[in-house]
Amino acid sequence: MQDRTTSDEQFAKDLAGMLAAPHTVPLGLKPGIPWFDFDLAFELGLGYANRGEIAAAEAVAATALASSGAKTQAAGHLVTAVVHLSRGRFRRAWSAAGKAAKVADPDVAAEVAYVRGLCLEGRGNHRDASRQYALIADSGRPRTFARAALSMGGMLARETQDWDQDAFDALGTAIATGFPEVVGPAQLTQALMADRVGDRDLAEFLYREATHAAVPQTAAQAAFHLGDMLQARGDVTGARAQFAAAARSGDPEFSGKGALSLGVLLMEAGESADAIEVFTFASNSDYQPAAARGHCHLGLLSVDAGDLVSGERHLKIALKHKDPQVKAAAEAGLARIRSARR
């Protein structure tokens, strides 16, 4: 693999291939490999962390920290900071970024500013986070600039429920860079902005664009929201396809949510067998709200079919969840079972 810069087309291809194999690539990383430099170490570790592949990100950090070069070690500290951020450990993340900042290098300084911005944003200090992101503008690092624009736009968008043109423009700047890691997430945030102010046509267009995102969670979330929008517009076929895509994504949250929404559409269409299969999938989700609703639907369908034993089992599991709607539906179902047994 050749030495390359962060703007190199080959670098982007190499990075995409490595990010697609989080369970194998980290095993082959060793300190001293010529192509395992600051840029690859940081982009790879950050990309894994953004995909929820924390073990892979930690492996990248460990390899970078064991390298002989101070700059590559700085990447290890920065990836460690990102891992801490994924766990809500802002103080530890700030400390790790500080260790990287000891390396006097403009590339390192730009990424330190980015990670510090994430730390400050995570703690609600948006003013100082904005200042950190602003430091990146003249860094000469296009990927870092794109990430900073995405973070700035997302931060501004979350500050208000109204339309924020500055946020939309910052996200547009991120999209214009063309870097896959930021394009999809920026489009999704723009779509959510348009959706909440009622611009359904713009939202639908942007959701569709974001379903092709390189970041799997972004694509899954966009598919789920697009499904909701299509369902509201009466396009049940389109909604089914999008909910199915979300369900297939494997995303911890939106896979379960997509399965639930798909199951409801199947149930409403009288396709009970398929609905039961999809609700069973949802009931096994690691996302507990989706799992509880999956059990609740299974329980109610079982009661409707006269299978009181299965119905009771599913409804009692659903009843353990704190969601008041789920609890109410489960209690109503259990009341039907008690009545039927009298």
Side-chain angles (χ1 to χ4, degrees):
M1 191 177 295
Q2 302 293 318
D3 291 339
R4 55 275 155 101
T5 67
T6 52
S7 59
D8 187 357
E9 182 178 350
Q10 186 60 47
F11 177 87
K13 292 180 179 178
D14 293 339
L15 179 62
M18 291 182 172
L19 289 174
H23 303 298
T24 56
V25 168
L27 298 176
L29 297 178
K30 299 183 185 302
I33 297 175
W35 48 262
F36 187 67
D37 55 12
F38 172 81
D39 287 326
L40 181 60
F42 182 68
E43 295 291 344
L44 192 59
L46 177 65
Y48 284 146
N50 286 342
R51 287 162 170 73
E53 300 289 352
I54 302 303
E58 289 177 322
V60 171
T63 303
L65 289 170
S67 300
S68 58
K71 188 172 180 178
T72 305
Q73 290 175 9
H77 288 303
L78 288 167
V79 174
T80 299
V82 172
V83 169
H84 285 316
L85 283 172
S86 73
R87 294 168 173 157
R89 298 171 178 172
F90 301 111
R91 187 172 298 177
R92 292 185 183 183
W94 187 271
S95 176
K99 293 177 182 177
K102 294 177 181 179
V103 178
D105 181 278
D107 295 335
V108 176
E111 302 300 355
V112 167
Y114 171 67
V115 172
R116 282 178 167 169
L118 294 179
C119 291
L120 292 164
E121 181 183 348
R123 300 195 72 169
N125 188 346
H126 291 184
R127 182 186 62 181
D128 288 342
S130 298
R131 291 172 178 170
Q132 291 294 324
Y133 295 143
L135 293 174
I136 299 167
D138 298 321
S139 68
R141 292 178 61 79
R143 286 180 181 273
T144 318
F145 172 75
R147 283 195 295 268
L150 171 63
S151 294
M152 179 73 82
M155 184 173 65
L156 292 173
R158 288 187 291 273
E159 286 181 343
T160 177
Q161 291 301 307
D162 297 322
W163 183 263
D164 188 318
Q165 191 62 42
D166 289 338
F168 195 84
D169 290 345
L171 294 165
T173 297
I175 293 168
T177 66
F179 289 113
E181 293 294 298
V182 303
V183 170
Q187 290 170 330
L188 174 60
T189 305
Q190 285 187 329
L192 292 168
M193 290 178 64
D195 201 349
R196 74 189 184 196
V197 297
D199 191 337
R200 302 291 185 256
D201 291 337
L202 178 59
E204 181 178 340
F205 169 77
L206 290 166
Y207 281 139
R208 287 191 185 279
E209 292 294 303
T211 60
H212 304 295
V215 181
Q217 183 182 29
T218 297
Q221 185 176 354
F224 175 76
H225 287 301
L226 178 57
D228 263 348
M229 178 165 286
L230 294 175
Q231 182 181 2
R233 288 186 161 185
D235 182 359
V236 176
T237 300
R240 281 193 183 195
Q242 295 303 323
F243 290 143
R248 290 192 303 268
S249 69
D251 181 78
E253 178 179 351
F254 288 96
S255 178
K257 285 184 172 181
L260 281 174
S261 295
L262 177 59
V264 170
L265 290 181
L266 291 168
M267 186 171 61
E268 290 175 347
E271 300 173 42
S272 298
D274 290 337
I276 288 171
E277 181 179 351
V278 173
F279 286 139
T280 300
F281 175 84
S283 72
N284 292 316
S285 172
D286 291 332
Y287 182 62
Q288 288 306 306
R293 287 180 178 270
H295 280 293
C296 189
H297 282 298
L298 287 171
L300 295 174
L301 285 171
S302 296
V303 174
D304 289 341
D307 185 352
L308 303 185
V309 174
S310 294
E312 184 175 41
R313 176 170 58 84
H314 285 297
L315 292 171
K316 283 185 174 180
I317 294 173
L319 197 60
K320 297 176 182 178
H321 197 264
K322 296 179 180 179
D323 186 325
Q325 288 185 329
V326 173
K327 288 177 72 72
E331 287 171 349
L334 289 169
R336 287 174 58 194
I337 292 174
R338 289 192 296 271
S339 177
R341 287 174 172 168
R342 289 173 185 165

